[in-house]
Amino acid sequence: MITRCYLEITNVCNLDCLFCPKTRRQARTLSLQEFDALTDRLAGHVKFLYFHLMGEPLLHACLPQFIVMSREKGFIPVLTTNGTLLSRAASVIDALPHKVQISLHSHEGNGKDNPEEYIAGVMRFALEASSRGIVVVLRLWNQGGYDSANASLLELMEQYISRPWSERHDGWLLADRIYLEYDRMFEWPDSEREECTGEESFCYGLRNQIGVLADGTVVPCCLDHDGDIALGNLFEKTLDEILSSPRARDMYDGFTRHEAVEPLCRRCGYANVTKRFRK
């Protein structure tokens, strides 16, 4: 079973973050019927269903319904959001996703000038969601990049959850079910970038994660934002057929040998530069 599937319910976003690679694909949003069809094909093959790849999922009017449907089909639903639209998320809390990840670094990446209002909305949501049993992860994935406002953001967060916080290897436990997570900024894979150098290359794409774009295209990981490694379309084929295709098998076997056979993977700043994955 694949641990995580990143299902892109829309590739439309309300922000223009400096660190985001954007997508050259046509704007598209899944219908209720399309979501039902795709999740039927993923059911039994995937454990965690993430509502994200490109785009802001809170823009989708059917998001609460999608969360309920996914849970009824046996998935564990997880939401990733930039946190700017949480004022409309009461129905999302009622749908009870397992976890909500809020990318706080999107705020500075857009040059916003109202951090007090932004953090107030985030923290009110976090406290309400966690009281309902939802795990909330506040992410600052901007170390070494757009991180100049991090200290002031933490001060604002302290107004809602006072210190001391419990230190963890990747951040802090602020309160029951509310986490603050740090990570380094990275360069997204891009077919126009120079190849990364390194003695080895390994990734968990196709091993414990896949992505499904809003048009049904299956890609090996959540960073293939333009569908460069299109393995097949889930509207047209089963997941088993797609994952057993020659291209998918070559990629999987290549990483078993610590070799990136796909040109895009050789241009991935997440896996190759930071050396996150060891096998």
Side-chain angles (χ1 to χ4, degrees), residues 124-172:
R124 283 195 294 264
F125 173 88
L127 290 165
E128 172 63 21
S130 63
S131 73
R132 300 282 298 276
I134 299 168
V135 176
V136 179
V137 180
L138 310 175
R139 306 197 301 185
L140 285 170
W141 286 17
N142 58 4
Q143 305 300 290
Y146 302 107
D147 56 1
S148 62
N150 284 5
S152 59
L153 291 181
L154 297 187
E155 290 179 1
L156 292 172
M157 292 163 61
E158 284 186 74
Q159 298 177 17
Y160 298 88
I161 303 177
S162 59
R163 292 181 187 259
W165 301 335
S166 299
E167 190 169 4
R168 293 164 47 86
H169 70 282
D170 58 354
W172 303 86

Side-chain angles (χ1 to χ4, degrees), residues 21 53 186-189 209 221-226 264 268 270-271:
L53 203 146
F186 62 89
E187 292 188 61
W188 287 63
Q209 69 161 291
C221 80
C222 61
L223 298 181
D224 189 355
H225 53 95
D226 263 330
L264 186 71
C268 178
Y270 187 84

Side-chain angles (χ1 to χ4, degrees), residues 37-71:
L38 290 176
T39 49
D40 274 351
R41 294 216 156 182
L42 292 169
H45 299 278
V46 170
K47 183 177 181 180
F48 290 92
L49 192 64
Y50 285 70
F51 295 96
H52 183 62
L53 203 146
M54 287 283 104
E56 169 51 53
L58 280 171
L59 289 172
H60 204 302
C62 294
L63 177 58
Q65 197 169 353
F66 287 172
I67 294 170
V68 173
M69 289 172 64
S70 65
R71 195 171 57 247

Side-chain angles (χ1 to χ4, degrees), residues 45 238-245:
H45 299 278
T238 68
L239 187 60
D240 283 339
E241 289 173 324
I242 293 170
L243 297 183
S244 61
S245 68

Side-chain angles (χ1 to χ4, degrees), residues 64-136:
Q65 197 169 353
F66 287 172
I67 294 170
V68 173
M69 289 172 64
S70 65
R71 195 171 57 247
E72 291 174 345
K73 293 187 180 188
F75 302 103
I76 300 174
V78 179
L79 172 65
T80 301
T81 173
N82 59 46
T84 60
L85 303 175
L86 292 173
S87 59
R88 64 176 71 176
S91 56
V92 170
I93 293 178
D94 290 338
L96 296 177
H98 168 68
K99 179 167 66 173
V100 177
Q101 303 178 145
I102 304 173
S103 299
L104 300 182
H105 47 275
S106 64
H107 189 268
E108 186 178 3
N110 278 276
K112 299 296 185 182
D113 56 2
N114 57 344
E116 296 83 5
E117 179 182 346
Y118 174 71
I119 291 298
V122 167
M123 297 308 293
R124 283 195 294 264
F125 173 88
L127 290 165
E128 172 63 21
S130 63
S131 73
R132 300 282 298 276
I134 299 168
V135 176
V136 179

